[in-house]
Amino acid sequence: MKISGLKPHENQIYDAGTVLKHVDAEFIPEKTCKGVGLVIFFFTYFVLLLVDFSRGKISFGRKESGTERAPVYDVQ
């Protein structure tokens, strides 16, 4: 018995007892999934690194020590 008035999610509705041929599932190999994940990770990390660099939160220059910036007075 079917409920009237509801649309089925599938395009073709089979009656009970209809024999269907098995279709193998398609999949992506595990190495491909891991490779794509690593590429996305490194791309995202690089973009976030560039954003931090452009905002001045990190710098790739020489480090300044505290003594170089301290004023030195010439006392006689």
Side-chain angles (χ1 to χ4, degrees), residues 1-9 13:
M1 181 175 216
K2 296 181 183 178
I3 301 174
S4 61
L6 295 178
K7 283 187 162 183
H9 291 289
I13 299 176

Side-chain angles (χ1 to χ4, degrees), residues 15-74:
D15 291 328
T18 304
V19 178
L20 300 176
K21 187 175 181 179
H22 175 72
V23 179
D24 289 336
E26 296 181 19
F27 65 95
I28 299 173
E30 183 179 357
K31 288 183 180 181
T32 305
C33 289
K34 287 182 179 181
V36 169
L38 282 173
V39 167
I40 291 172
F41 166 75
F42 284 119
F43 177 74
T44 305
Y45 188 80
F46 183 71
V47 167
L48 292 175
L49 190 70
L50 288 177
V51 168
D52 284 346
F53 181 71
S54 68
R55 291 183 180 173
K57 294 184 179 181
I58 58 173
S59 62
F60 298 111
R62 66 183 179 109
K63 291 185 177 181
E64 296 180 12
S65 64
T67 58
E68 291 177 0
R69 291 191 281 154
V72 176
Y73 300 105
D74 193 19

